[in-house]
Amino acid sequence: MHKNSQAWLFLKPYGEGYKDMSEFKKVCQLSDLINNSGVAALIENQQIALFYVENKVFALSNYDPIGQANVMSRGMVGDLKGELMVASPLQKQHYNLNTGVCMDDEAISIPTFETKIENQSVWVKL
Ligand code: FES
């Protein structure tokens, strides 16, 4: 289950010279992630919260727009009303892992990023 100790991945830019800002970047190995928990990754100076749930990887900004701190990777993941979600560790708002939309207030959302898993490597489209 959820651990309070924080796992961090410090990533060097992978490969040379990204030109397209919205391209997939190889972030880590699947084995670097923690099942049903979050890991924070620093990808080109952007803090991303990665969640490995139900054999899928979800990537959200690590920034909690309500608590105004980079904490989302510490949030507990679970299922609410049939949706996979992460609860902010600060004020406990629930955010849909697929869409980033706050389940209490749809006007608030956290940016999400597309992910893919290839040969046990995790890729995020930034
Ligand atoms: S606090 Fe319950 S749905 Fe967000």
Side-chain angles (χ1 to χ4, degrees), residues 64 66-68 87-94 104:
D64 173 348
I66 295 175
Q68 300 189 351
S88 164
L90 295 176
Q91 297 177 40
K92 313 299 178 206
Q93 290 86 10
H94 302 87
D104 299 314

Side-chain angles (χ1 to χ4, degrees), residues 52-68:
Y52 183 42
V53 184
E54 295 184 351
N55 299 314
K56 276 185 274 179
V57 177
F58 299 89
L60 280 70
S61 166
N62 198 28
Y63 190 73
D64 173 348
I66 295 175
Q68 300 189 351

Side-chain angles (χ1 to χ4, degrees), residues 1-108:
M1 285 307 293
H2 181 77
K3 302 195 189 85
N4 271 323
S5 61
Q6 179 65 340
W8 266 96
L9 298 169
F10 291 98
L11 303 161
K12 298 192 186 107
Y14 195 83
E16 299 299 319
Y18 298 118
K19 295 194 181 93
D20 180 357
M21 284 312 287
S22 66
E23 72 183 56
F24 277 103
K25 294 166 174 62
K26 196 188 218 176
V27 167
C28 60
Q29 296 300 111
L30 207 47
S31 57
D32 294 325
L33 302 184
I34 303 166
N35 199 27
N36 290 319
S37 190
V39 167
L42 190 62
I43 310 174
E44 295 179 352
N45 291 323
Q46 270 201 80
Q47 285 202 27
I48 307 292
L50 299 173
F51 299 95
Y52 183 42
V53 184
E54 295 184 351
N55 299 314
K56 276 185 274 179
V57 177
F58 299 89
L60 280 70
S61 166
N62 198 28
Y63 190 73
D64 173 348
I66 295 175
Q68 300 189 351
N70 280 304
V71 293
M72 291 311 299
S73 64
R74 295 167 176 263
M76 286 183 70
V77 296
D79 183 296
L80 186 69
K81 302 172 196 156
E83 303 282 352
L84 290 177
M85 62 80 195
V86 53
S88 164
L90 295 176
Q91 297 177 40
K92 313 299 178 206
Q93 290 86 10
H94 302 87
Y95 294 90
N96 185 310
L97 277 184
N98 280 293
T99 64
V101 174
C102 177
M103 297 174 81
D104 299 314
D105 181 350
E106 293 195 348
I108 300 171

